[in-house]
Amino acid sequence: MATLTKSLIIRNPRGLHVRAATVLANALKPFDAEVTITLGEQSANAKSVMHLLLLTAGQGAEVEVSAVGPQAPEAMDAVSDVITDGFGESG
Amino acid sequence: MGVAPGIVLGTAARVDRSPVPIEHVHLPQSLLESEVSRLYEAVERAEASIDQLEASLESGGGTGEHLGILGAHRVMLRDPMLLGESERHIRQQAMNAEWAVSETLAHIGEIFAHIEDPFFRERGSDVEHVGDLLLRMLSGEDGYDNAIEDISKGAVVVADGLSPAEALAVARRSVSAFVLEHGTVTSHTAIVARSMNIPAVVAVPGVTEHIGEGDRIIVDGDEGEIIISPSREEELVYARRERRQRAFKRALRQNRSKPATTTDGHEVIIRGNLDFASDVSRIGDAGGQGVGLFRTEFLFIDRTDLPDEEEQLDIYTRVLHAASPHAVTIRTLDLGGDKQLRTERDGIVMSPGLRAIRYCLRDRVLFDAQLRALLRASVHGELRLLIPFVTSMSEVRRVKRAISEVREKLVAEGHAVADDIPLGFMVEVPGAALIAESLAAEADFLSVGTNDLIQYTLAIARDDEGVTGLYQPLHPAVMRLLEMTTRAAHAAEVPVSICGEMAADPRYALVLLALGFNELSMTASAIPLVKEVIRRSSKEESLALLEHIRGMTHATEIADHVDSLMIDRFSDIVRPSMRSAPRSAR
């Protein structure tokens, strides 16, 4: 199965903190896909808030997103939307 | 460390949540599947208890950040990292569910502890809280209410630590404050306290050892202090501060939209001082009627380039719009002293006395650009122009000429300029007060800057710590200069305002009312209490006070009299001042 990848920049001021990670994990829940977010040498399961927090991705961090599975394209769209929208936070 | 502001005097209620005892049992293969089911059932019950808490908070009108935290915790309960590893421990190592979960939590906790960024490291506490809830569910507890059902309304909650959910559950019972042995300013429990307006002090080592159930305790969330079993004097001091704070909140709530009118019908206009355009909304929020002093020098200093006409026009226009329909008094550039440009200006040699309007009349390029921006902004609201540090009538004449030159030029260029822009002069050196009659005859209003006036009258620099006790706003010499100024303004039938620190201190409100100031302008946070004092006073009693202190010759005697009268009359607002400390001088 093909793996989709994409590079995105975390734009919201507080980075990938609890609320942002929760928004991301929730957005991915419905999709049958494994989504991994990589920052530097660390990778995290994007459906795990705890794992995402461990990336300590602050504002301006450039992350690699990869998705694999039957609904990988839909999951990838969802990740892109959430991250480019700054997790729905203003500023 | 104070993490949520406010002062409370109350009775301690201990919330002691003993850690859940963890049994370590190796299970036979046949039971592993049902053990995994037991884990997931506990997750479901944990989710239900969060739902229940959330519903009760929402029905109580709760909104905002704290509900988001509960949502995050609910998602974390299902976290693959937590459940996946726990499930693996059960299936592969035949651990019981409690053991499996606590092993997993210990592992995750260790990873969080090694994060360098403190903001993210702190989030490990959220993992702990979620894990603790799950373990309690596994051990058969049934929700958040068990440990807290005995807490009475208004109690000061004392605990080792509280999860945000526990803090919310406790807060719902209308407790008055939190004191925690652990915690940080960015912890979610602190956020809960702030968003629910409950004073909180955290990170107090040993506090759970020293405070017993039912102890009297003062919690000062502003200073981050607690006093256990306070003395009578300490209780009195804090009770006064607590009353003052309540008075402030009440004044803010009740008087925001009401004028500062005395009981005998005399109105004083209360405006706000503004340093940065972006703060303008704070004045209206506090109940101020427009801007009494916009200090434009902050646009010019602390930068290596200078703001051009267009940049200034944009800022002045924004402030005028934001303050509408109220007036905005904009003071022209007041350079000098600690406020200096970073750039060299051609042909101008700075010297200590070359400040404010003296400087501007020397640097006409800079001054004209500011006047052009101000005059062009005048069509966007109620602009009033204020000239600082005037000392002679020739300066008045030159300023007026400069303004009319700029106006003519702008009109010739096709710009719109308001027909009638009130022009005022600041009275901030004794010389200006002494020629107040001449100034008033040429002015649309006068404005007294008490900081400089007191400093130049008494030869006391405000930052000179050796002589701070000599900085006396009620010194008879200062009082006479103030009175000369208000009399001159009244005779010329122009309004007179005061925009120094003196206006912001409620203890001087009656004196300033009696002296005949039509307007007081102050920092936004001072507005509610000064307004409250005026609304509770009469002009008549203020005149009686003025008459009484006129007969006094000693500054300290006057200060003592005003102090004791104001404390007696407004015990919830005016605080006693220390004789040795600088008064409102900052």
Side-chain angles (χ1 to χ4, degrees):
Chain A
M1 204 179 305
T3 303
L4 302 175
T5 60
K6 197 170 191 174
S7 225
L8 291 167
I9 291 173
I10 306 286
R11 299 201 180 278
N12 61 317
R14 290 169 70 190
L16 206 45
H17 59 101
V18 175
R19 209 198 66 88
T22 306
V23 169
L24 184 56
N26 267 337
L28 288 174
K29 221 195 277 176
F31 301 112
D32 183 5
E34 274 186 35
V35 181
T36 307
I37 300 209
T38 304
L39 176 67
E41 291 174 1
Q42 277 196 310
S43 293
N45 175 352
K47 290 182 182 179
S48 164
V49 173
M50 295 178 191
H51 219 163
L52 288 172
L53 288 174
L54 291 173
L55 287 179
T56 67
Q59 187 179 23
E62 188 173 350
V63 295
E64 263 318 290
V65 184
S66 65
V68 62
Q71 289 187 294
E74 291 89 339
M76 186 58 105
D77 284 347
V79 179
S80 298
D81 285 351
V82 167
I83 293 184
T84 48
D85 181 41
F87 304 91
E89 290 168 23
S90 54
Chain B
M1 175 172 40
V3 295
I7 297 157
V8 162
L9 173 63
T11 306
R14 297 282 304 248
V15 175
D16 295 313
R17 310 210 68 191
S18 47
V20 190
I22 308 293
E23 277 189 85
H24 296 195
V25 183
H26 279 294
L27 300 168
Q29 199 68 26
S30 59
L31 289 181
L32 293 185
E33 212 45 52
S34 64
E35 192 67 3
V36 170
S37 305
R38 199 166 73 84
L39 171 65
Y40 282 93
E41 275 160 24
V43 170
E44 271 170 35
R45 282 193 293 120
E47 284 174 330
S49 73
I50 290 181
D51 287 345
Q52 200 187 351
L53 178 58
E54 198 171 48
S56 72
L57 288 164
E58 274 169 351
S59 67
T63 51
E65 210 170 351
H66 50 276
L67 290 178
I69 297 167
L70 286 183
H73 283 194
R74 186 171 37 219
V75 174
M76 285 164 89
L77 272 170
R78 290 272 175 193
D79 203 288
M81 205 169 167
L82 176 62
L83 294 186
E85 198 173 319
S86 298
E87 197 180 325
R88 232 179 358 262
H89 283 317
I90 298 173
R91 287 185 196 283
Q92 294 173 4
Q93 290 165 56
M95 291 178 175
N96 62 330
E98 288 89 339
W99 187 8
V101 170
S102 65
E103 279 289 312
T104 307
L105 287 171
H107 178 224
I108 299 174
E110 194 168 329
I111 304 175
F112 269 94
H114 282 93
I115 295 178
E116 275 176 29
D117 184 333
F119 178 72
F120 282 100
R121 187 169 60 230
E122 169 68 26
R123 300 283 79 85
S125 65
D126 287 295
V127 179
E128 270 174 42
H129 294 317
V130 169
D132 184 67
L133 175 62
L134 186 53
L135 288 172
R136 283 178 194 281
M137 293 298 134
L138 280 168
S139 76
E141 286 186 26
D142 57 2
Y144 284 111
D145 283 342
N146 279 2
I148 57 167
E149 59 196 7
D150 298 335
I151 294 177
S152 54
K153 209 177 155 188
V156 172
V157 171
V158 179
D160 184 59
L162 284 178
S163 77
E166 286 164 347
L168 282 167
V170 172
R172 216 179 62 220
R173 304 184 76 92
S174 305
V175 300
S176 61
F178 290 123
V179 176
L180 304 182
E181 178 138 2
H182 294 106
T184 66
V185 76
T186 55
S187 70
H188 280 154
T189 308
I191 293 171
V192 167
R194 281 194 293 272
S195 73
M196 299 192 71
N197 292 320
I198 297 172
V201 175
V202 305
V204 192
V207 76
T208 49
E209 270 175 52
H210 289 108
I211 303 180
E213 183 79 25
D215 281 355
R216 297 280 285 166
I217 179 171
I218 290 166
V219 181
D220 183 345
D222 302 325
E223 303 292 332
E225 286 176 358
I226 55 167
I227 299 178
I228 304 163
S229 305
S231 67
R232 260 190 76 77
E233 289 73 32
E234 285 169 327
E235 285 211 16
L236 281 173
V237 168
Y238 274 83
R240 196 177 285 128
R241 287 182 64 185
E242 195 186 358
R243 276 213 308 281
R244 187 173 190 273
Q245 196 179 60
R246 266 199 236 130
F248 180 85
K249 285 182 184 159
R250 194 179 53 237
L252 186 60
R253 212 169 42 239
Q254 295 178 345
N255 297 342
R256 196 186 337 233
S257 56
K258 292 185 191 155
T261 305
T262 60
T263 52
D264 48 1
H266 188 88
E267 186 181 350
V268 180
I269 308 284
I270 306 288
R271 302 188 201 268
N273 291 352
L274 188 66
D275 287 341
F276 300 101
S278 52
D279 289 342
V280 65
S281 64
R282 293 178 50 207
I283 294 170
D285 290 347
Q289 299 149 282
V291 180
L293 174 69
F294 180 18
R295 303 181 173 99
T296 56
E297 51 273 19
F298 293 101
L299 299 174
F300 292 81
I301 56 179
D302 285 334
R303 55 191 282 176
T304 48
D305 61 333
L306 290 174
D308 63 11
E309 179 182 331
E310 297 300 324
E311 182 182 340
Q312 291 184 60
L313 172 63
D314 179 56
I315 289 162
Y316 303 150
T317 304
R318 267 195 287 138
V319 172
L320 283 163
H321 275 302
S324 171
H326 299 296
V328 175
T329 304
I330 302 185
R331 182 172 74 185
T332 58
L333 187 54
D334 184 13
L335 286 182
D338 54 350
K339 295 178 286 194
Q340 296 289 349
L341 296 181
R342 292 260 199 101
T343 37
E344 296 266 318
R345 301 288 297 167
D346 280 349
I348 294 167
V349 181
M350 289 308 291
S351 76
L354 186 63
R355 52 171 288 192
I357 193 59
R358 299 175 184 171
Y359 174 87
C360 285
L361 289 171
R362 189 80 63 89
D363 190 347
R364 281 294 297 272
V365 177
L366 196 69
F367 190 43
D368 283 10
Q370 179 169 41
L371 288 177
R372 283 179 63 94
L374 286 167
L375 265 54
R376 286 174 65 191
S378 67
V379 293
H380 295 287
E382 290 291 311
L383 172 68
R384 309 200 303 177
L385 274 187
L386 180 60
I387 310 297
F389 216 67
V390 174
T391 49
S392 74
M393 294 311 292
S394 73
E395 281 167 348
V396 169
R397 199 182 61 229
R398 290 172 66 198
V399 166
K400 286 194 160 185
R401 199 189 298 143
I403 293 171
S404 66
E405 282 167 14
V406 168
R407 174 190 287 274
E408 276 168 32
K409 228 174 178 176
L410 284 171
V411 172
E413 290 170 23
H415 290 292
V417 179
D419 284 336
D420 192 20
I421 305 171
L423 176 67
F425 300 105
M426 283 201 73
V427 174
E428 48 190 333
V429 290
L434 292 166
I435 59 163
E437 278 175 32
S438 313
L439 285 173
E442 292 291 321
D444 298 304
F445 66 98
L446 294 180
S447 186
V448 179
T450 45
N451 303 352
D452 277 338
L453 187 64
I454 296 166
Q455 169 165 335
Y456 290 117
T457 304
L458 303 178
I460 296 297
R462 278 190 303 154
D463 51 4
D464 185 347
E465 285 172 12
V467 288
T468 39
L470 299 180
Y471 185 89
Q472 294 161 323
L474 295 177
H475 191 290
V478 177
M479 298 278 287
R480 273 180 214 177
L481 292 172
L482 292 177
E483 199 160 6
M484 287 179 85
T485 309
T486 54
R487 280 211 177 137
H490 293 168
E493 294 181 346
V494 296
V496 55
S497 68
I498 191 161
C499 60
E501 299 281 346
M502 209 177 163
D505 192 332
R507 95 184 57 238
Y508 300 129
L510 277 197
V511 174
L512 298 179
L513 175 69
L515 285 170
F517 284 98
N518 310 93
E519 297 179 11
L520 305 180
S521 187
M522 62 200 73
T523 179
S525 62
I527 290 172
L529 287 184
V530 173
K531 220 178 189 183
E532 177 73 8
V533 167
I534 291 171
R535 287 178 56 84
R536 281 198 227 159
S537 313
S538 68
K539 176 90 177 188
E540 197 187 340
E541 69 173 309
S542 79
L543 289 173
L545 168 65
L546 185 63
E547 202 46 49
H548 189 87
I549 58 179
R550 263 208 197 99
M552 300 179 172
T553 48
H554 291 273
T556 49
E557 193 189 351
I558 297 174
D560 284 343
H561 182 77
V562 170
D563 252 23
S564 62
L565 180 125
M566 294 300 282
I567 291 165
D568 197 38
R569 183 82 173 68
F570 305 97
S571 62
D572 55 339
I573 294 175
V574 179
R575 274 183 291 190
S577 59
M578 309 284 192
R579 166 67 56 233
S580 58
R583 263 162 215 290
S584 63
R586 256 178 285 151

